[in-house]
Structure formats: structure tokens, C-alpha cells
Amino acid sequence: MSFSFFKPSRPKTPLEVVKSTKDSLMALDTKTVVEVKALEKALEEVEKNFATMRCMLSGDGEVEPNPEQVSQLASEVCKEDVLSLLIHKLPILGWDARKDLVHCWSILLKQKVGSTHCCVQYIENHFELLDFLVVCYDNKEVAVNCGNMLRECIKFPTLAKYIIGSASFQLFFKFVELPTFDVSSDAFSTFKDLLTRHETVVSEYLTGHYDEFFDVYEKLLISPNYVTRRQSLKLLSDFLLESPNSHIMKRYISEVRYLKVMMTLLKDSSKNIQISAFHIFKVFVANPNKPREVKVILARNHEKLLELLQNLSAGKGADDEQFEEEKELIIAEIERVSCLPNLDS
């Protein structure tokens, strides 16, 4: 005789999880004061459904996820347009629901159905979803969640290429200087991923948008904000020195305008910024094909430059010896250039 009064509930199928999630997200359209309780109940349902989805996608700590169910769930969230709902409803979700959504998002994007990343393909057909996520940096409540989701998207070249070529990309120059440190820092992490993760995509973009990009990027390098100056200087070094961007670097180090920026940063009150600026400045000086205009600037300012460089030290460490060797070579080259004839005419 059985003494079990309660039968364990049957686990939901992927189709049921997706349908239940979709229904609860759609219910969030209730915004009238009269129906606040209905809205609260819908938010609770969303949290429950997201927790169920998370468990199905990554297991519960004891039972591993079923690959067939994971694949079916990924397929269904695309088929039922739940992927779009997940993004558009994000700003009104609670903290726990957003946390679970970010976790699920990462797994869903990586999931293949057959040979296709179905969720990535869905976003490729709905690029406006990426624009929505970027704009969410203006909402400090959800900015970091959206940033995490964006960086998962950027791992895929087609999605990164869309963002970097879209009007939304220009917003990052604003977002990285937002007053809320957590948000600006997260925005810079996303900005960095866009400019370093896919070399070919970045090279193509910079080739076609050189003036437009560096005009705005210069403002980051001379920002009154120390963190912005330091981060943007380090990032500039990272992507300029990538081999696919060698033609971009050659163009950059031929421009007096940007040489002057680096010379200004060599005088920065921060030693860290001085050192980072030196590593770009040295490329201007070491360039065997320096334009005459660059030589003129180096010659006219050689005394101040030599004084700056002689007082510049990398400090103690394994790289100190190499730094001093490079510095001596750069000093010697500046001295050589300053002695060239006909630079004042």
C-alpha cells in the first residue's frame, strides 16, 4: 500500500517552458495602476519560468542538462520569437530574472541546431535587437546586464560586424564617459571587445571609416577623465599593433595631429599614461618613412622631448631594461632628426 499523497509534478517539456515563458513575458504589457497586482504576478511568473529555463539549459547541480532538450529549447525560443521578447522586456524585469536571463542568453547563443547557431541566426535576421541592447547602456539599472549579453553576441563575427558598422557604435564614445563608474567601465569592456576580438572585421571598418573614427577617438585620448585617457590609450595600442591593421598604423603614425596628441600625453601627470603614450610615440619616431611634417615637429621640439624622455622611467621590473634600450634608441633618432638640414624652411 502506497502512503504517497502527492505525486511529483511532471517536468515541463521544452515546448511547455517556451510557451509558459512567452505567456508570462506578454503579460508584462499590463501597465495600468488598476492592474498592478496582475503585473506583479506576471513578474513572478517570469522569474519562475526563467529559473526553469536555466535549469533545463545548465542542469540543477545534480542532473546534467539533456542535450536534446537544450537543442529543442533553443529552436523553440527562435520559432516563437521569445528571443525578441527576452530583450525588449529586459528593462522591466526584476534583479533575479535579469541574472537568470543573462545566464541563459550565453548558453542559447552557443547552442547549435544541426550545424547552425540558431539564436545567432535569429539575431542576424533581427539586427535591431542589438541596437536595443546598446541603447540600454543609457538605463543604469540594466546597463551591466545588457553589456554582458552584448559581449556574448560580439563573440560571433557577423553580430560584431553589424554593431561596429551601425549608428549605435558611435554611442560607445558617450557611454564610456558616463558618470556611473560601473556602467562606463562595462561599456568600455564592450567597446574593447568590438575593437579587438575580430581582427578582419575591425580592419575593414577602420579602413572605410578612418577619419570618422579617429576624429572621435582623439576626444577620448584627451578626456579630462583619467580612467578614460588611460584605457583608451591602452586600447589604441592594442588594436593599432594588430598585424591586419598595419596599414592603419602606418597612416596614423604619419599624421602630425596624432603625434601632437602623444607628445601631450608624454607630459601627463600620470606616469602610467606617460609610459603608455611612449609606446605609441616611439612608433612615430622609429618610422623609417616619416613625413617631412613629422620630422619638423620632432626637430622643433627636440629639446623638450629629450628632457621628457630622459626623465621617463618604467620603474623596477623585468621590462625596465628593454624600456631603457628603446628609450635610448628613440632619443638617438630624435637627435639625428634635429640635425637634419632644411627642416626650418
Side-chain angles (χ1 to χ4, degrees):
M1 181 177 178
S2 172
F3 290 94
S4 175
F5 294 100
F6 301 102
K7 293 182 180 179
S9 59
R10 177 182 65 80
K12 287 183 176 181
T13 66
L15 273 70
E16 289 170 336
V17 171
V18 171
K19 183 181 185 308
S20 184
T21 301
K22 182 176 183 178
D23 289 346
S24 60
L25 287 168
M26 295 288 283
L28 294 179
D29 286 334
T30 307
K31 294 174 184 174
T32 61
V33 176
V34 179
E35 297 174 298
V36 164
K37 287 188 177 179
L39 182 57
E40 289 175 351
K41 187 174 185 304
L43 284 167
E44 288 177 10
E45 284 301 308
V46 169
E47 283 192 18
K48 289 178 187 175
N49 288 320
F50 281 7
T52 302
M53 186 185 296
R54 177 175 180 149
C55 187
M56 184 171 285
L57 288 171
S58 57
D60 60 6
E62 295 180 1
V63 180
E64 291 293 312
N66 180 316
E68 188 177 329
Q69 286 190 329
V70 172
S71 180
Q72 192 174 6
L73 183 65
S75 179
E76 286 298 315
V77 295
C78 296
K79 189 188 301 182
E80 294 298 321
D81 287 323
V82 171
L83 214 61
S84 178
L85 279 173
L86 293 176
I87 291 177
H88 285 298
K89 301 298 182 184
L90 177 64
I92 56 176
L93 298 179
W95 189 87
D96 286 330
R98 295 200 305 268
K99 185 178 72 170
D100 281 342
L101 170 55
V102 170
H103 180 87
C104 293
W105 183 261
S106 171
I107 298 171
L108 286 169
L109 287 190
K110 294 169 188 167
Q111 184 58 39
K112 282 188 175 182
V113 176
S115 61
T116 305
H117 289 95
C118 59
C119 293
V120 174
Q121 187 177 63
Y122 180 91
I123 297 170
E124 288 171 352
N125 293 322
H126 300 82
F127 277 136
E128 70 279 1
L129 297 177
L130 295 174
D131 295 316
F132 185 90
L133 285 174
V134 172
V135 171
C136 277
Y137 268 119
D138 254 336
N139 181 344
K140 64 182 179 181
E141 295 300 319
V142 299
V144 174
N145 301 118
C146 290
N148 282 320
M149 292 168 73
L150 274 171
R151 287 190 292 280
E152 289 298 326
C153 293
I154 290 165
K155 291 176 181 178
F156 299 90
T158 53
L159 305 189
K161 184 174 183 177
Y162 170 78
I163 297 172
I164 206 170
S166 71
S168 298
F169 179 64
Q170 298 303 314
L171 294 173
F172 280 98
F173 292 96
K174 164 194 166 188
F175 294 148
V176 299
E177 295 211 82
L178 287 171
T180 306
F181 178 77
D182 287 350
V183 176
S184 61
S185 182
D186 193 277
F188 200 93
S189 293
T190 306
F191 188 52
K192 179 179 179 180
D193 275 10
L194 282 165
L195 289 170
T196 57
R197 184 169 280 275
H198 304 289
E199 295 175 352
T200 304
V201 169
V202 175
S203 180
E204 288 175 359
Y205 171 76
L206 291 177
T207 301
H209 301 82
Y210 178 90
D211 290 323
E212 172 191 351
F213 176 81
F214 284 107
D215 277 353
V216 190
Y217 201 90
E218 181 182 351
K219 294 174 184 175
L220 299 182
L221 294 171
I222 59 175
S223 167
N225 185 302
Y226 163 74
V227 175
T228 301
R229 291 199 309 280
R230 184 175 179 185
Q231 287 184 325
S232 55
L233 191 54
K234 175 67 170 62
L235 177 57
L236 177 65
S237 179
D238 286 344
F239 69 78
L240 267 188
L241 299 179
E242 294 285 356
S243 53
N245 294 332
S246 59
H247 63 296
I248 300 294
M249 183 190 71
K250 287 174 183 174
R251 182 173 174 182
Y252 189 84
I253 63 172
S254 296
E255 298 201 40
V256 166
R257 169 183 175 180
Y258 301 126
L259 171 62
K260 288 179 177 178
V261 171
M262 293 306 137
M263 287 166 59
T264 300
L265 291 171
L266 281 173
K267 299 185 293 182
D268 196 274
S269 58
S270 162
K271 181 177 177 180
N272 287 320
I273 288 179
Q274 290 175 3
I275 298 296
S276 295
F278 170 77
H279 288 301
I280 299 178
F281 172 76
K282 70 185 181 186
V283 186
F284 281 88
V285 179
N287 178 14
N289 301 308
K290 288 185 283 294
R292 186 177 187 280
E293 294 82 358
V294 168
K295 293 176 183 176
V296 167
I297 293 297
L298 293 175
R300 285 179 183 170
N301 295 275
H302 77 278
E303 290 181 359
K304 290 180 182 177
L305 286 170
L306 294 180
E307 183 182 352
L308 277 171
L309 293 174
Q310 283 159 356
N311 292 326
L312 187 61
S313 169
K316 297 178 181 178
D319 296 332
D320 188 34
E321 187 176 335
Q322 182 183 346
F323 177 84
E324 290 300 324
E325 288 177 1
E326 290 179 348
K327 192 174 78 169
E328 290 307 314
L329 289 171
I330 296 305
I331 287 173
E333 177 61 13
I334 292 173
E335 288 176 331
R336 185 191 73 81
V337 169
S338 69
C339 296
L340 291 175
N342 303 320
L343 287 183
D344 289 329
S345 58

